[in-house]
Amino acid sequence: MTTPGHLMADEIASQPKVLAEVLSSYGEYLTPVLARLRTHDTRAVLLVARGTSDHAALYAKYLIETRLGLPVGLVSTSTYTAYDTKPALEGVVWIAVSQSGGSPDLVASTEAARAGGALTISLTNAETSPLSDATELHLPMLAGDELSVAATKTYTAALLWLWLLVEGWAEGDLSAAAGVPDWVDAAVDLPEVAEVASRYRFVERLVTTSRGFGYPTAREAALKLMETCYLSAHAFSGADLLHGPLAMVDEDRPVVVIAPDGAGGRTLEPVLEQLRTRGADVCLVAPMEVTATSQMRIPLPSGMDERLAPIAQIVPLQQLALQLAVSRHYDPDHPRGLQKVTKTT
């Protein structure tokens, strides 16, 4: 008999190796994509994805806006499918992110975008797929087969690929990512995660929050907790949390705060102050450079660039979802009612 969660556990542990493989192999795939981008008169970027990949796309949005200064949008696929819109997308770079590359709505909307004049790029883990066939350019995640329904290594691989794409497009220094596999390795097996899992074993409602580059991590962590532990997890940016949602926070609803070392972390200081005032049960996920206090803390590796930090930030939260699910006698490898490929149209 196999142990519940063994696939997810193995895939979380494999991430340093997967990321090292991406860093050793990206050149042959990325070079032609960058060459094409440099001949393209880009006025805007559109990103399309579903589920976990949607959070990778949100990360790319922050990267492109801060590094390239281009306007970026997250696509509503029903615009192109349910409403059969014929877009005029000359001057637009369309980036589609999908682990499987098989979601019909992603494929159909990408085909419409290409027909409308967009330069289309796909990032998928599948070697071949309808989505990669639909785009002019393609990048492979190189994560290997992912057998657990809960995506882990494809998420971090997608983040690294998107950083490489944007940093290369900006003609930056790609060697800045050399430390990523070591950061992730340091975040894979933190003893503090077990302490948090024990504290939150019987929690039914939870909030995750961050700002800037940490916000996609908050979104992805909430999704992992929902799909593996069946608890009600709500993700908010720190700015949004200070509006209406703050009213629902009290000592019975834990708040997981992802605080990067950098501008995003500094903007969370008033959020943490408000949470302290309300007596919230706060778990801080942050490097030791972030000196805020909290009831629980999951320490992240020090010295990470804020733009690259999300690749390591999510790893202990993947472990938290795994350990919480197993403690509740669930199998996170096979969440009930979920499949690997989203069949929306």
Side-chain angles (χ1 to χ4, degrees):
M1 179 179 293
T2 58
T3 303
H6 75 284
L7 295 175
M8 187 177 179
D10 289 346
E11 287 167 358
I12 291 172
S14 74
Q15 289 175 112
K17 183 178 179 180
V18 168
L19 297 168
E21 172 63 21
V22 171
L23 289 175
S24 69
S25 307
Y26 69 81
E28 65 175 297
Y29 305 104
L30 190 60
T31 298
V33 175
L34 293 178
R36 179 69 178 91
L37 284 170
R38 288 170 186 147
T39 67
H40 187 260
D41 184 16
T42 305
R43 60 182 174 85
V45 178
L46 290 175
L47 297 154
V48 61
R50 275 282 184 260
T52 284
S53 295
D54 197 40
H55 305 146
L58 179 59
Y59 168 73
K61 184 177 189 292
Y62 279 95
L63 286 175
I64 295 166
E65 288 176 342
T66 60
R67 198 70 180 91
L68 298 171
L70 290 168
V72 184
L74 296 173
V75 171
S76 301
T77 56
S78 61
T79 299
Y80 305 94
T81 55
Y83 296 100
D84 195 28
T85 299
K86 301 296 187 289
L89 296 179
E90 292 82 4
V92 171
V93 172
W94 175 285
I95 302 173
V97 185
S98 172
Q99 184 270 336
S100 68
S103 297
D105 62 336
L106 300 189
V107 176
S109 59
T110 297
E111 290 172 341
R114 189 172 183 180
L119 170 59
T120 53
I121 303 169
S122 57
L123 172 61
T124 71
N125 195 45
E127 187 172 339
T128 60
S129 69
L131 184 60
S132 59
D133 290 342
T135 55
E136 177 181 339
L137 301 165
H138 177 247
L139 293 170
M141 288 181 193
L142 303 178
D145 292 341
E146 191 171 55
L147 302 178
S148 176
V149 170
T152 53
K153 63 180 181 176
T154 52
Y155 179 68
T156 51
L159 296 190
L160 181 55
W161 271 109
L162 290 164
W163 182 90
L164 291 166
L165 174 64
V166 175
E167 192 65 16
W169 193 355
E171 300 186 9
D173 179 12
L174 299 187
S175 69
V180 166
D182 288 338
W183 298 340
V184 170
D185 187 55
V188 163
D189 193 21
L190 296 171
E192 292 85 355
V193 173
E195 297 172 17
V196 177
S198 177
R199 184 181 181 94
Y200 294 166
R201 180 178 178 185
F202 299 107
V203 163
E204 295 300 328
R205 302 173 300 168
L206 182 145
V207 169
T208 64
T209 188
S210 188
R211 290 202 68 183
F213 286 95
Y215 179 46
T217 306
R219 296 279 299 272
E220 174 62 9
L223 176 62
K224 285 291 157 288
L225 290 164
M226 285 188 284
E227 69 182 351
T228 61
C229 304
Y230 316 131
L231 57 78
S232 177
H234 299 272
F236 298 99
S237 78
D240 288 336
L241 184 64
L242 289 183
H243 291 80
L246 187 65
M248 71 178 178
V249 173
D250 56 28
E251 65 274 8
D252 295 323
R253 188 188 299 261
V255 181
V256 177
V257 180
I258 299 96
D261 179 30
R266 290 190 292 274
T267 62
L268 283 167
E269 291 173 4
V271 178
L272 287 164
E273 178 59 34
Q274 285 292 322
L275 292 173
R276 281 192 292 270
T277 299
R278 297 187 68 85
D281 186 328
V282 173
C283 173
L284 187 67
V285 183
M288 297 311 296
E289 294 95 321
V290 177
T291 57
T293 58
S294 60
Q295 287 90 339
M296 302 292 291
R297 187 183 188 113
I298 298 176
L300 292 171
S302 297
M304 296 187 293
D305 181 285
E306 186 177 358
R307 289 184 174 90
L308 285 162
I311 305 172
Q313 282 170 349
I314 191 59
V315 174
L317 295 168
Q318 294 170 344
Q319 286 280 20
L320 178 61
L322 167 65
Q323 294 185 30
L324 263 181
V326 172
S327 73
R328 294 170 178 227
H329 306 292
Y330 301 137
D331 183 359
D333 291 334
H334 306 287
R336 58 191 183 220
L338 295 183
Q339 298 178 346
K340 200 69 176 171
V341 181
T342 305
K343 296 293 185 180
T344 53
T345 58

